[in-house]
Amino acid sequence: MKPKIAFFDMASCEGCQLAILDCEDIFLHILDLVEIVEFREALSETAPRFDIAFVEGSIHREMDAERLRSIRARCDWLVSLGACAYNGNVQARSNALAPGENMLRVYGPEAYHRTQTDPHYWPLWAHSRVRPLSQVVAVDYHLRGCPVDREEFLQLLKRRIAGALPRVAAQAVCVECKRAGNECVFEHGDTCLGPVTWAGCNAVCIGGGYRCDGCRGLLPGANLAAHRELLREHGLSEAEIDNRYRLFCAEEVAEATA
Amino acid sequence: MNDKTYTIEVDHVTRVEGHGSIRVSARDGRVEDLTLSITEANRFFESFTEGMSPHEIPWIVGRICGICCVGHQLAASKAVEAALGLTVSAQSRRLRKLLNESQILQSHILHVYFLAVPDYVGVPSVLPLIKTHPEVVKRALALKHLANEFTRVIGGRALHPMANTLRGWRKLPDLEALEGIRENLFTALPDLDASVGIVADLAVPAFERETEYVSLTHPDEYALYDGEIYSSDTRETVPVADYRRVTNEFTVPHSTAKYARWHRESYMVGALARVNNNYSQLHPKAQEAAERLGLRVPCFNPYMNNAAQVVEIVHCAHNSLAMLEAVLDEGLVEEDIGYTPGPGTGAGAVEVPRGVLFHEYRFDDEGRCRGADAVIPTSQNINNIERDMKAFAPRMVAEMTRDEVTLHLEMLLRAYDPCISCSVHLLDVEFIP
């Protein structure tokens, strides 16, 4: 029997599910291998149980945490799909402020007051903080990146069906960037998070003329102190360096310095 | 007919971007209550952009939404450029228009074929159509692939592209790849024609409610990238910098998206609003498509938004072909896109697949972001969708079974192609210094 797979989304841009839908040239072949039983963004079908759940997005409210626990209970294997699910992505930056403070800034004093005092605004507006999936349930595998790389998704799917897992070397974006023959970002006057970021993207942003901002998350064991010194030498202030790490890795940086 | 008493609850409506729920209670054949809830969690983009550098803003706020990432990036680029007084070359403006139209093609094709059509064929998704209508599905997949490749070639990748930044392109598109896109787009024209045929054959529910239609408008072209804000009620334009006069946002307890209103209780943005407001500037082939689709302006049936999307698919294909030919004729030259960060406040707008999108940013003397605002098409539409539902539901409840009512309400929500992730997180923010 074909493995049943399902897709879910929490707080996110839903771009990682779109990255999956972007497999249109091989979409029909994927359906030969697996049965997609639930995918709210694209299908109306639902299912009580499934073998693999791909969950995009981070957890911001208790009602969403409950939904995630229920998904966990309905699947054998749970994969975080993309940066929001893996480490909270850009939106984890908002954790620097209390939820009420964010609410006040974004919705204004009048709406803020109502969300805090009028029970009709609960639980929809009961934002706690931005949590990666792994702070709520056990996660079996992480697909990193903003957005996820469709080849990485396909590799995982094929390997998992064959009873194995992809082999992912714990190496920095720099390794792939050099292999791709790109000129180093530091050489042309900008600064880069490539030295401390999980590889797997083939340095796509540097190849595209930009730099690495670390959307795949910090590489475990990366020497942040040395990297910080490197950024300082290239003229960034402490505030600029903090802002930079906190673009895509705010929650990881907060954990590392906690 | 008068013994119909029931409650309809649809949590997490499917085949829309983001999370929304519909609730209807009917008693004795009358609608007692109806709400459309937006249940998406807050993400606070306008708060956490504080402290970012000007060029980081378009790159990061593109993450508001996957399916309109290009639109957010472009609206933010324009807003930041307005704040800092930066100029954009004619070459870069043309590349941005191509990038924007590539995303409109992507998004409209996805919506029409994969999210909307299954309702009209009476199936829960595109999956059953693979068996019953394989040629339609294959054509849809091929068109979607072409549109994605189009975005990738212009922008560097299909999702969250990195090539565009303030003032222009970090790395210019490859001319050979552009030639490939031009050829594929030209070859796909018959498939677009077939798409018009498919949608023209769908039986569209006959519900009409006139509302205020709001879009950009431009004297020289069908406004998608540039223009001023236009209302079908007043037939007057408002400069983009004054967009708050248009959106007048407010909150309600049952939605985490904000609501908007202008001259009436609600207004509509998106493909149908644009086609209604700027019909005469559509490409002649797109006007032909509108005639085949039975879309006569002004059109007051929101279900016809799907037809308007098909009209825009035809328009963008032909318009993009002309722009690509101009680029290939003239070639592309490397340009200086340097800038000096500094203080200022500025707003920018573009038409994205679901309607007009506004961004605004304020920077301090060091060029750090100190204020941000984004008003998203879906948050402008939600109020209008709920009012459509309230207007149509009594007739639906009287004439249809409960399941048909549910389907028609879901179809109405889907017709607007709402982008709910986008719509949650809004309103003006002034960071407290």
Side-chain angles (χ1 to χ4, degrees), chain B residues 1-154:
Chain B
M1 289 301 261
N2 283 333
D3 55 353
K4 290 180 181 171
T5 299
Y6 54 76
T7 309
I8 295 172
E9 297 194 4
V10 189
D11 279 334
H12 301 295
V13 178
T14 58
R15 282 182 280 135
V16 297
E17 208 280 351
H19 293 262
S21 305
I22 301 168
R23 285 205 176 8
V24 185
S25 45
R27 178 178 291 274
D28 304 330
R30 287 197 323 277
V31 177
E32 279 204 322
D33 191 32
L34 184 151
T35 51
L36 170 63
S37 288
I38 300 307
T39 57
E40 189 86 9
N42 306 97
R43 288 165 71 217
F44 302 128
F45 270 81
E46 290 99 328
S47 179
F48 70 66
T49 42
E50 175 169 30
M52 288 185 191
S53 300
H55 66 273
E56 287 170 345
I57 295 284
W59 170 237
I60 297 297
V61 300
R63 267 73 182 184
I64 289 174
C65 175
I67 203 159
C68 355
C69 53
V70 164
H72 283 285
Q73 194 180 92
L74 295 179
S77 298
K78 289 174 77 175
V80 175
E81 284 155 359
L84 304 184
L86 305 178
T87 56
V88 178
S89 71
Q91 171 179 297
S92 296
R93 284 163 45 83
R94 187 184 275 154
L95 288 176
R96 283 187 180 174
K97 286 180 178 180
L98 280 165
L99 192 62
N100 196 30
E101 294 192 15
S102 77
Q103 178 131 79
I104 291 174
L105 284 169
Q106 249 193 59
S107 176
H108 281 358
I109 290 165
L110 176 74
H111 183 255
V112 170
Y113 274 102
F114 294 84
L115 309 184
V117 161
D119 285 327
Y120 289 91
V121 188
V123 291
S125 75
V126 72
L127 294 181
L129 299 181
I130 296 171
K131 284 210 179 87
T132 56
H133 300 72
E135 68 299 331
V136 176
V137 174
K138 280 186 185 149
R139 183 188 303 129
L141 289 169
L143 286 173
K144 176 78 173 46
H145 186 59
L146 167 57
N148 277 355
E149 282 298 293
F150 188 3
T151 308
R152 188 182 64 72
V153 166
I154 305 276

Side-chain angles (χ1 to χ4, degrees), chain A residues 3-25:
Chain A
K4 292 182 165 62
I5 68 170
F7 294 87
F8 298 91
D9 41 62
M10 302 295 171
S12 63
C13 80
E14 303 194 4
C16 290
Q17 291 173 89
L18 286 173
I20 307 301
L21 288 178
D22 286 353
C23 295
E24 59 279 285
D25 49 335

Side-chain angles (χ1 to χ4, degrees), chain B residues 370-389:
Chain B
R370 293 294 169 222
D373 184 30
V375 186
I376 274 81
T378 294
S379 71
Q380 298 172 69
N381 269 336
I382 287 287
N383 190 12
N384 202 61
I385 303 173
E386 195 175 63
R387 283 170 196 283
D388 278 352
M389 287 181 170

Side-chain angles (χ1 to χ4, degrees), chain A residues 9 13 22 24 40 44-45 60-61 91 93 102 105-107 114 125 146 207 210 213 240 243, chain B residues 14-15 17-19 39 42-43 47-48 50 59 63 66 144 148 170-171 368 425-427 429:
Chain A
D9 41 62
C13 80
D22 286 353
E24 59 279 285
R40 188 202 52 79
S44 289
E45 289 87 342
H60 300 192
R61 300 172 297 198
Q91 55 221 18
R93 250 175 104 97
N102 283 308
R105 281 181 170 193
V106 177
Y107 293 88
R114 262 182 284 134
W125 293 70
C146 178
Y210 196 31
D213 272 345
E240 284 169 327
N243 169 66
Chain B
T14 58
R15 282 182 280 135
E17 208 280 351
H19 293 262
T39 57
N42 306 97
R43 288 165 71 217
S47 179
F48 70 66
E50 175 169 30
W59 170 237
R63 267 73 182 184
K144 176 78 173 46
N148 277 355
R170 292 186 169 109
K171 186 178 174 186
R368 299 274 137 200
H425 63 80
L426 336 124
L427 195 62
V429 197

Side-chain angles (χ1 to χ4, degrees), chain A residues 86-88 95 129-132 134-135 218 224 249-258:
Chain A
Y86 170 58
N87 69 1
N95 285 348
R129 66 193 299 282
V130 174
R131 287 182 285 176
S134 59
Q135 288 184 15
L218 296 177
L224 280 184
C249 304
E251 184 61 12
E252 288 179 302
V253 172
E255 274 178 12
T257 54

Side-chain angles (χ1 to χ4, degrees), chain B residues 261-296:
Chain B
R261 63 184 158 217
W262 193 7
H263 297 103
R264 308 185 187 202
E265 288 175 312
S266 68
Y267 64 86
M268 182 179 186
V269 298
L272 185 62
R274 290 190 290 254
V275 170
N276 269 344
N277 287 354
N278 298 317
Y279 185 84
S280 66
Q281 291 165 307
L282 281 166
H283 191 278
K285 292 282 182 196
Q287 293 186 356
E288 264 174 43
E291 279 163 33
R292 277 176 69 197
L293 289 158
L295 200 174
R296 265 170 228 98

